[in-house]
Amino acid sequence: MPGIAGIITSARMEECPALVNAMLMTMKHENFYKTATHFIPEMKIYSGFTGFEDSSDGISSNEIGNISLVFSGECFAGSEIARGETLIRLYENEGQKFVEKLNGLFCGLLIDKSRRKIFLFNDRYGIKRIYYHEQNGAFYFASEAKALLRILPEQRQFDMESLGDYLAFGCTLDWKTLFRGIGILPGGSLWSSEDGHWRKEKYFSPEIWESQPQLAADEFENRFQETFKRILPRYFEPVQKVGVALTGGLDTRMIMACRPQNGGPTACYTFSGNSGLTWDDKIAARVAAASNLEHNMLRLEHDFFSDFSAHLDKTVFVTDGCAGLSNAHEVYLNRKARQLAPIRLTGSFGSEILRSFSTFKQLPLSPQLFNNDWREKINSRPGKISAHKKHPMTFAAFKEIPWNLFGNLEAGRSQLQFRTPYLDNDLVALAYQAPESILKSSLPAFHLIRANNPALGEIPTDRGFAGDNSGLKFLSRRAFAEITFKLDYYAVAGLPRPASSFNSIFKSIVGKMKIAGMHKFVRYSSWFRTELASYVREILSSSRVRGNGIWNRDFLDRLATAHIAGHHDYSAEIHTVVTLDAIERRLLHSFSEN
């Protein structure tokens, strides 16, 4: 997916250009990608870029050619998207402090020939990753870990400590990767090098925002409305057509309520399953109609299931294993979205930033899944997450989003440019000042919608917010939404294991009530029993999986059968085993696309 790669070495390396080209080709996932290289042999710098043909990032230089920039992503300097030439001028005026002025999701390599100095940097949150490895006087870096694995075969092994975190939480922690000797630049990094000596610094720390004073509720709401309306036009910047990914929730509703009328052509769409209509589908269509826009339904078609193994392998490969079996629809649906608009504007991360919503916790895996040694390793890890939760906003913005929620984001970014106003520096900084009475509350969001587009405020959300959110009518609407959401979940996943013997009776009742499929189109637990049952059986019974020293073979023998028969919901266990197998196949043992 779009990104940068390179080698900076203290010794002459004739093979560096070929190695960089190999890294770039490993990151070129689609035929609509472009690549370019930027070699400066006299400084022993060999770098390059890969990205969308229709994107504005890439390689830039100033007029006299003594400063150059290899850049990936989008950032704003003020209210407009900053091009490479703008960023170079900002560096000429501000020096290395130029990166503090940037607002967006990005990574880059800036080379100052006159000072013989190099700067490697990323955004404050670390969303645009830079993976790196150092050895024998050479510094290797890339936006994707697989680019390093492609040219460094000795690193094609799991880091056992990080693997334990991955099996416990579904992701690696502390800017580490699954792969031995490969790290990730922490968010807000500005690493510089002169004559081969690296200085590893940070240009931003969340403590700066943590030290802000808390606001009174009324003042916070006023500033929240002003800030959101001020920043949103940036995200409709009409470089290309923008597509809004609509849901039934508040976060995309806020975007539509404050959508600038001069923001250029806008498409809107909703991801959906292979049949039926969810609340998201129905509500999003009403929101689009009220906004005078055509609404598009992007569905999972038959080929998603018939070619599922290819979709899984693609997902694991492009995300470096950060997304897996239960995320295999992301590349597929975002590819469809690109056909409507090359930029995807979403409400992603609004719940985490504005309402302190968190899904980051230990995976609900049965201890029986692991052999004895790994069972002990997994059981020792619960405290690792709680150690990061000293400040809820810092945990959400600087830990949960770049670590735990990275996979789906990265899968989508392999197909199109991703934008969200909920990681705008101005909005996140303000969220740190929210009073405790407003944390976890949806009222500021709903008040903003009603103040800017009352018609959108009258359309119920998927959680029952609409019109007057008080009194018995609201309570009944809210209760209905929450109850049906839970029933829909259990209709797919099955009842909790102590009550799982009643699954058949429960599903029969819920089926007659027509609740199943009401809220969510992603139904892997059900698909593992139907469309994907043979695939799951094949993978779990393979000698490759059974020979893996992590799993308890006796449990594997009954895992697929128990889930497919509906006796238990083992979808989390199936996801973990099959995803790890795909990571080994695609990232440790092979580097060619199927």
Side-chain angles (χ1 to χ4, degrees):
M1 80 201 47
I4 65 175
I7 304 171
I8 301 167
T9 176
S10 60
R12 183 175 178 81
M13 295 179 64
E14 298 291 343
E15 68 273 24
C16 279
L19 293 176
V20 169
N21 277 304
M23 294 165 76
L24 295 176
M25 293 308 298
T26 304
M27 296 163 57
K28 187 178 180 181
H29 303 302
E30 304 290 347
N31 59 13
F32 51 79
Y33 280 29
K34 62 183 177 182
T35 60
T37 58
H38 185 55
F39 301 154
I40 307 178
E42 65 272 23
M43 292 181 66
K44 300 183 174 63
I45 300 171
Y46 304 86
S47 62
F49 162 86
T50 183
F52 304 137
E53 289 180 349
D54 46 19
S55 66
S56 58
D57 46 6
I59 300 172
S60 308
S61 298
N62 63 353
E63 291 184 0
I64 62 175
N66 67 323
I67 299 174
S68 55
L69 175 69
V70 184
F71 187 82
S72 178
E74 268 189 344
C75 69
F76 304 95
S79 61
E80 298 182 351
I81 293 176
R83 305 297 190 272
E85 295 79 5
T86 304
L87 298 177
I88 290 174
R89 286 197 299 272
L90 194 59
Y91 168 74
E92 291 173 323
N93 294 331
E94 302 279 347
Q96 68 183 56
K97 289 184 176 293
F98 86 100
V99 72
E100 298 175 16
K101 308 289 186 181
L102 306 185
N103 183 2
L105 308 179
F106 54 84
C107 63
L109 174 73
L110 187 143
I111 304 160
D112 187 335
K113 291 183 183 178
S114 59
R115 297 173 60 195
R116 298 192 63 82
K117 195 163 186 176
I118 308 160
F119 298 95
L120 188 64
F121 58 92
N122 60 1
D123 61 79
R124 298 184 181 198
Y125 314 101
I127 299 293
K128 282 291 288 185
R129 287 188 173 183
I130 298 179
Y131 297 88
Y132 69 94
H133 174 75
E134 298 176 86
Q135 69 173 28
N136 301 327
F139 183 90
Y140 303 82
F141 67 92
S143 294
E144 300 178 31
K146 74 187 71 62
L148 300 180
L149 296 174
R150 171 67 179 83
I151 66 168
L152 300 170
E154 63 274 19
Q155 311 313 136
R156 297 174 198 164
Q157 299 182 42
F158 282 129
D159 178 285
M160 289 299 130
E161 180 65 20
S162 293
L163 180 58
D165 290 340
Y166 180 86
L167 294 173
F169 305 111
C171 64
T172 56
L173 310 178
D174 301 312
W175 306 108
K176 296 178 181 177
T177 75
L178 280 171
F179 312 109
R180 190 179 73 172
I182 295 178
I184 307 170
L185 258 70
S189 286
L190 179 64
W191 290 14
S192 59
S193 175
E194 283 184 275
D195 299 323
H197 300 290
W198 282 97
R199 187 173 181 177
K200 300 176 180 180
E201 298 179 303
K202 295 192 69 175
Y203 67 88
F204 180 82
S205 174
E207 284 80 7
I208 296 171
W209 286 343
E210 290 177 7
S211 64
Q212 298 176 110
Q214 192 175 89
L215 300 176
D218 289 347
E219 183 181 1
F220 174 80
E221 285 220 35
N222 290 335
R223 289 184 58 181
F224 172 64
Q225 291 210 24
E226 180 277 324
T227 300
F228 193 83
K229 289 187 289 184
R230 173 171 51 81
I231 70 168
L232 190 62
R234 300 171 185 168
Y235 297 89
F236 280 92
E237 178 79 16
V239 177
Q240 303 167 78
K241 188 175 183 180
V242 175
V244 181
L246 282 180
T247 68
L250 286 167
D251 299 321
T252 53
R253 189 82 57 90
M254 292 165 62
I255 292 172
M256 298 304 286
C258 301
R259 180 173 65 98
Q261 296 305 307
N262 59 348
T266 304
C268 62
Y269 51 82
T270 301
F271 293 162
S272 192
N274 51 336
S275 63
L277 293 174
T278 65
W279 272 24
D280 269 2
D281 301 335
K282 297 174 183 177
I283 295 170
R286 292 182 63 185
V287 171
S291 305
N292 298 314
L293 291 173
E294 179 184 353
H295 180 246
N296 299 272
M297 294 277 292
L298 303 183
R299 288 191 177 277
L300 296 172
E301 307 289 350
H302 173 73
D303 62 321
F304 173 71
F305 298 100
S306 62
D307 300 332
F308 185 78
S309 61
H311 295 307
L312 168 62
D313 282 4
K314 178 88 169 183
T315 300
V316 167
F317 190 78
V318 301
T319 67
D320 295 315
C322 294
L325 181 65
S326 297
N327 319 95
H329 58 284
E330 289 289 340
V331 173
Y332 180 97
L333 289 173
N334 279 283
R335 181 180 290 123
K336 287 192 169 188
R338 182 181 176 83
Q339 295 173 8
L340 295 176
I343 298 174
R344 180 186 174 196
L345 176 56
T346 84
S348 293
F349 315 131
S351 294
E352 289 77 15
I353 297 300
L354 299 181
R355 293 181 289 282
S356 298
F357 179 79
S358 177
T359 58
F360 199 176
K361 57 187 177 181
Q362 187 157 359
L363 298 177
L365 301 177
S366 169
Q368 299 177 68
L369 177 63
F370 305 99
N371 66 25
N372 290 333
D373 290 343
W374 276 97
R375 194 176 305 159
E376 292 180 9
K377 292 177 183 178
I378 302 303
N379 289 338
S380 68
R381 280 175 158 75
K384 295 191 75 170
I385 291 294
S386 58
H388 291 290
K389 291 187 174 181
K390 296 178 181 178
H391 193 290
M393 189 60 61
T394 295
F395 176 71
F398 295 91
K399 306 293 172 64
E400 178 160 17
I401 293 172
W403 298 348
N404 189 46
L405 302 180
F406 178 77
N408 278 356
L409 167 63
E410 193 74 340
R413 287 196 304 200
S414 71
Q415 302 302 308
L416 38 65
Q417 182 71 48
F418 173 92
R419 291 179 182 174
T420 175
Y422 297 104
L423 286 179
D424 189 279
N425 291 347
D426 294 347
L427 189 64
V428 178
L430 177 62
Y432 272 80
Q433 296 186 273
E436 291 185 11
S437 61
I438 282 181
L439 292 176
K440 299 185 181 296
S441 170
S442 299
L443 292 179
F446 188 76
H447 292 161
L448 180 140
I449 294 167
R450 293 204 70 189
N452 291 277
N453 192 326
L456 292 183
E458 295 300 321
I459 301 173
T461 70
D462 57 350
R463 285 295 190 267
F465 285 92
D468 182 13
N469 292 306
S470 62
L472 291 176
K473 185 177 181 180
F474 166 67
L475 292 176
S476 62
R477 192 170 60 227
R478 178 87 168 142
F480 179 79
E482 294 300 324
I483 291 170
T484 55
F485 182 88
K486 286 290 187 183
L487 291 176
D488 186 14
Y489 171 79
Y490 288 129
V492 176
L495 293 167
R497 285 170 189 169
S500 59
S501 58
F502 299 101
N503 274 338
S504 59
I505 299 173
F506 171 77
K507 291 184 178 182
S508 176
I509 295 172
V510 173
K512 292 177 181 178
M513 296 170 65
K514 297 184 178 180
I515 291 175
M518 178 181 288
H519 286 272
K520 296 297 180 184
F521 77 88
V522 177
R523 307 174 68 81
Y524 280 95
S525 181
S526 177
W527 296 336
F528 293 160
R529 297 185 176 107
T530 52
E531 290 95 338
L532 301 178
S534 60
Y535 176 79
V536 169
R537 286 189 185 278
E538 177 186 352
I539 298 299
L540 293 184
S541 63
S542 68
S543 58
R544 184 181 60 251
V545 169
R546 288 178 54 78
N548 188 309
I550 295 173
W551 317 123
N552 174 359
R553 286 192 182 186
D554 292 338
F555 187 75
L556 283 182
D557 288 341
R558 59 183 186 272
L559 177 58
T561 299
H563 183 87
I564 292 169
H567 298 153
H568 298 286
D569 176 31
Y570 286 129
S571 54
E573 288 81 0
I574 293 170
H575 165 87
T576 300
V577 174
V578 176
T579 298
L580 193 66
D581 174 63
I583 292 171
E584 291 191 82
R585 286 189 294 103
R586 299 296 290 120
L587 297 172
L588 299 185
H589 302 153
S590 172
F591 291 93
S592 61
E593 288 281 7
N594 292 332

